[in-house]
Amino acid sequence: MRIRDILRRKGDAVATVEPDATVRQLLAVLAEHNIGAAVVSPDGAAIAGIVTERDVVRRMHDRGAALLDQPVSDIMTTEVRTCGPADKVEDLRRTMTEQRFRHVPVLDDGRLAGIVSIGDVVKSAIDELESEREHLVDYIQRAP
Ligand code: AMP
């Protein structure tokens, strides 16, 4: 299974915020879309960083409520690990597990083309196992 197979099912929508959006505005975007991460982008195409609910929780612990009026550029991760549509889901699963992040933006020809979450990766693994199981049951039932 490839990343493009996941995108075919879930679509290419990516929630983005501008670097100077406040953390308060970021929280509104996360809540509105029921998601855990947003890509930070000045124009909706180039990636300046990624910011997740985990970043907000950690920084809120350090800085308190003042964080809400600070820009997301203050708390985002700037070295973003991305993947491409042709990458194997299995490789991405390994990267997410080893590096301990749950969101990876997809770049196609340098442009933002989707985002894959750990939930998408787990769902694709379950679908694959389910389909293998069905094939095996079918094979066993056909055996003379
Ligand atoms: P997450 O598990 O996705 O909430 O992210 C945990 C930490 O890793 C946070 O500090 C994120 O900013 C960072 N992070 C999340 N996704 C990525 C990514 N694709 N590349 C680099 N850092 C990331």
Side-chain angles (χ1 to χ4, degrees), residues 7 12 28 31 37 47 49-50 61 74 77 81-82 92 101 104 107 114 124-125 128 132 136-137 140:
L7 294 184
D12 59 2
I47 299 182
I50 188 164
H61 176 68
D74 264 21
T77 301
R81 174 70 157 79
T82 61
L92 187 65
F101 43 64
V104 175
L107 281 186
S124 100
E128 219 164 29
E132 269 173 31
L136 278 173
V137 168
I140 291 163

Side-chain angles (χ1 to χ4, degrees), residues 36 50-55 58 76-77 79-82 100-105:
I50 188 164
V51 63
T52 79
E53 52 201 355
R54 203 171 280 191
D55 295 314
R58 287 178 187 151
M76 69 187 183
T77 301
E79 281 196 20
V80 182
R81 174 70 157 79
T82 61
R100 293 176 172 272
F101 43 64
R102 297 168 295 174
H103 306 88
V104 175

Side-chain angles (χ1 to χ4, degrees), residues 29-45:
V29 170
L30 298 183
E32 186 186 327
H33 297 281
N34 196 23
I35 52 175
V39 169
V40 183
S41 169
D43 57 5

Side-chain angles (χ1 to χ4, degrees), residues 2-74:
R2 307 276 166 171
I3 297 299
R4 69 166 66 90
D5 300 316
I6 291 183
L7 294 184
R8 204 170 288 136
R9 194 171 46 214
K10 73 172 281 197
D12 59 2
V14 184
T16 62
V17 290
E18 293 185 13
D20 57 2
T22 62
V23 171
R24 193 187 303 277
Q25 288 169 322
L26 165 72
L27 291 182
V29 170
L30 298 183
E32 186 186 327
H33 297 281
N34 196 23
I35 52 175
V39 169
V40 183
S41 169
D43 57 5
I47 299 182
I50 188 164
V51 63
T52 79
E53 52 201 355
R54 203 171 280 191
D55 295 314
V56 177
V57 169
R58 287 178 187 151
R59 298 315 194 297
M60 183 77 84
H61 176 68
D62 298 337
R63 302 184 200 173
L67 181 74
L68 291 173
D69 296 313
Q70 292 169 2
V72 292
S73 56
D74 264 21

